[in-house]
């Protein structure tokens, strides 16, 4: 890895709490109604997609059941 050539003096690290800023950041803006509706619709669409994939995918993942009457191919009959 790349190493820094100049070392940081320990006194700078020890005195770092003196240089903290007293400026507070501005308050966060609240989400509008349209933003909340959009976020909820995106979340609902994702959940619906996962549920749909699960519903459509479960039959494919279940073990195949053999039919009661086995279909025989033409090779068995010697044709």
């Amino acid at each position: 890895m790349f190493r820094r050539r100049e070392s940081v003096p320990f006194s700078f690290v020890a005195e770092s709490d003196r240089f903290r800023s007293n400026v507070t950041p501005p308050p966060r803006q609240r989400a509008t109604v349209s933003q909340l509706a959009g976020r909820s619709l995106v979340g609902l669409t994702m959940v619906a997609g996962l549920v749909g994939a699960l519903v459509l995918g479960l039959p494919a993942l279940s073990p195949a059941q053999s039919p009661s009457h086995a279909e025989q191919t033409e090779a068995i009959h010697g044709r």
Side-chain angles (χ1 to χ4, degrees), residues 18-67:
R18 287 190 205 167
F19 301 107
R20 290 188 181 157
S21 175
N22 60 355
V23 177
T24 58
R28 294 184 61 167
Q29 293 181 349
R30 294 186 58 125
T32 63
V33 175
S34 62
Q35 288 175 338
L36 290 175
R39 290 176 189 170
S40 61
L41 284 175
V42 168
L44 185 64
T45 304
M46 291 177 62
V47 169
L50 290 173
V51 168
L54 186 65
V55 167
L56 294 176
L58 279 179
L61 293 175
S62 65
Q65 297 177 356
S66 60

